[in-house]
Amino acid sequence: MTAPVGLLIGSHIPPADIPGLAALAETKGFGEVWLTEDLWYSSGVVAATAALAATQTIPVGLGIQSAVTRHVSIQALDFATIEAMFPGRFWPGIGLGLPAWLDQMGIMPPAPMRAVREAVQHTKALLAGESVTADATHKLSDIKLAYPAETVPPIYVGAVGPKSIVQTGRIAEGLVASTTSGVAYIEWARKLLDAGAAEAGDGKPRRIVTFALFCGDDDAALARDSLRSVLAFYLFV
C-alpha cells in the first residue's frame, strides 16, 4: 500500500498563510496536512484549527505539542474541542519538545519519558470521558471533560531515541519522526515502534509520519540551494 503524501506547513510559514496553504493542499490532492508548534513561532492548536476551518475533508495533524507547556487537562480540552468541531479530521501529536525551550521556561521535567507517557495516557482518558485523578507530572483531581470526544482521535508521539520510540509503540497510534530523518533511520524506527506495539498487544498497526524537505527543479543544484535555509531552520531552531 502506498503511503499518503501530505503537506507540512512548517513554523517558518507566517500564520496568516496557513488557511490558504491548507486549502490549496486539499485542492491539489494531498492526503493530509501537518502543522508544527515550534516555540516561539505559532500556536499548534490554533494553526491546526485554522487549517481545518479552511478545508472540507482532509485530515490535519499536529506534530507535535509539548507534553509540559500546557497542563494535560487543558491539552485534552483543546483536543476535544477541535475534534467536536471537525470530527475525525484532527490528529493530535504530543512529545517532550526541545529541552532548550523548556529550560527557557524552567519546566524541563526530571523524567522526560514519564512526562510524555503520562500526558498521552491522561489525554486519552480525558478524551474518552473518564474522570482522572493523578499525582503525576501534572496533578489532576477528579477532572472530567463536559464534552469528551465521541471518537477518541489517534494520538501521535514525537520521539527520537530507541527507548522513547518503543514507548511510543506501546502508548500511541503513531510516531512523528524528526524532520531530518533518513531512510535507514525510518527503517530502524519502524522495528522499534512495532516492538512497542507488540508489547501493547492490541493488534493495531502504528503509523510513522516523517517530514521530508522537497523542491522540484530541473536544476538539481538550484533545488538543493533553495532548501538550505529551510533545512537550517530545522537544524538550529
Side-chain angles (χ1 to χ4, degrees):
M1 182 177 66
T2 303
V5 175
L7 177 68
L8 168 66
I9 304 176
S11 294
H12 61 291
I13 300 297
D17 294 344
I18 291 172
L21 286 173
L24 181 63
E26 183 173 60
T27 300
K28 296 301 182 180
F30 283 92
E32 52 202 64
V33 168
W34 283 84
L35 285 303
T36 59
E37 181 172 272
D38 292 313
L39 305 179
W40 316 94
Y41 290 86
S42 57
S43 164
V45 291
V46 175
T49 304
L52 286 160
T55 54
Q56 299 296 318
T57 60
I58 195 169
V60 174
L62 171 55
I64 50 91
Q65 182 172 281
S66 173
V68 294
T69 53
R70 298 167 180 80
H71 192 280
V72 66
S73 65
I74 302 302
Q75 184 165 259
L77 180 66
D78 286 343
F79 292 173
T81 302
I82 297 173
E83 170 62 25
M85 292 190 293
F86 306 99
R89 290 211 291 136
F90 178 52
W91 298 343
I94 298 172
L96 179 65
L98 287 185
W101 293 333
L102 306 184
D103 286 339
Q104 282 184 279
M105 293 182 279
I107 58 173
M108 182 67 185
M113 282 184 56
R114 174 186 170 184
V116 172
R117 180 174 66 254
E118 291 171 346
V120 172
Q121 292 171 339
H122 296 154
T123 296
K124 283 187 172 186
L126 290 164
L127 288 172
E130 299 176 21
S131 176
V132 179
T133 296
D135 184 10
T137 305
H138 296 291
K139 299 184 186 301
L140 301 96
S141 179
D142 193 27
I143 293 179
K144 185 176 182 179
L145 298 182
Y147 302 104
E150 290 191 10
T151 301
V152 176
I155 302 293
Y156 288 76
V157 168
V160 176
K163 292 182 179 179
S164 59
I165 294 175
V166 172
Q167 173 176 270
T168 298
R170 288 196 296 263
I171 64 174
E173 283 67 54
L175 167 71
V176 178
S178 168
T179 306
T180 55
S181 298
V183 174
Y185 176 87
I186 294 299
E187 291 174 345
W188 172 80
R190 165 54 67 191
K191 294 177 182 177
L192 295 170
L193 190 67
D194 289 347
E199 292 178 19
D202 58 19
K204 298 178 181 178
R206 270 49 168 178
R207 292 187 78 213
I208 295 182
V209 173
T210 183
F211 301 145
L213 303 180
F214 175 83
C215 177
D217 197 297
D218 292 336
D219 188 319
L222 287 177
R224 285 193 296 269
D225 287 343
S226 71
L227 291 175
R228 291 184 189 279
S229 62
V230 180
L231 179 60
F233 174 87
Y234 285 106
L235 286 174
F236 300 109
V237 68

